[in-house]
Amino acid sequence: VQLQASGGGLVQAGDSLRLSCTASTRTSGRFFMAWFREAPGKEREFVAAYKWDGGSTYYADSVKGRFTISRDNAKNTVYLQMNNLKPEDTAVYYCAADRRLISSSVRDESEYDYWGQGTLVTVSS
């Protein structure tokens, strides 16, 4: 599975931005797609995940209520709609996927087999 991420950019605090991640192959079953981010000087952290079969979503507490993960099944694409962005959201955002994840592991980056290139999101104050 190859992942292509896009949509990063420079915005001001309070603005919105939408990231996209497209998978190269058809997705089904226990397929999860997720977003992680890595801020300067910090470890990579979980942001949000989408379970393809059933549409369950998972969020980090820091983004809950501001970010929404969704999918376009026909395009094998997940989106991360980011609203009310804050300077602390500044990071390189990575798309990840796995074919056989279980729900209890969605926040663990080591469980994902496939990664896209990062896309930089910079939020100015």
Side-chain angles (χ1 to χ4, degrees):
V1 179
Q2 293 183 328
L3 303 175
Q4 181 68 44
S6 62
L10 172 63
V11 297
Q12 294 186 334
D15 285 351
S16 298
L17 205 59
R18 190 178 78 162
L19 305 182
S20 301
C21 178
T22 299
S24 60
T25 62
R26 291 184 63 84
T27 53
S28 62
R30 284 163 51 186
F31 191 89
F32 280 79
M33 292 183 74
W35 290 95
F36 288 78
R37 67 186 182 186
E38 186 172 336
K42 296 186 178 181
E43 294 185 350
R44 191 174 301 184
E45 65 175 0
F46 170 79
V47 176
Y50 193 103
K51 183 179 180 183
W52 213 263
D53 184 13
S56 298
T57 57
Y58 308 81
Y59 296 96
D61 288 342
S62 59
V63 306
K64 201 172 295 183
R66 299 188 298 122
F67 291 11
T68 302
I69 190 169
S70 62
R71 79 176 188 194
D72 183 327
N73 193 43
K75 297 181 180 179
N76 284 351
T77 298
V78 292
Y79 302 100
L80 185 68
Q81 178 66 42
M82 305 184 292
N83 297 330
N84 190 22
L85 283 161
K86 303 176 180 180
E88 51 264 43
D89 295 317
T90 294
V92 177
Y93 284 71
Y94 295 92
C95 177
D98 196 87
R99 293 182 182 273
R100 295 172 294 178
L101 209 61
I102 58 175
S103 298
S104 59
S105 300
V106 295
R107 292 171 175 81
D108 186 349
E109 64 172 298
S110 68
E111 294 291 333
Y112 289 82
D113 287 339
Y114 308 102
W115 289 84
Q117 86 287 3
T119 185
L120 177 63
V121 173
T122 303
V123 185
S124 63
S125 57

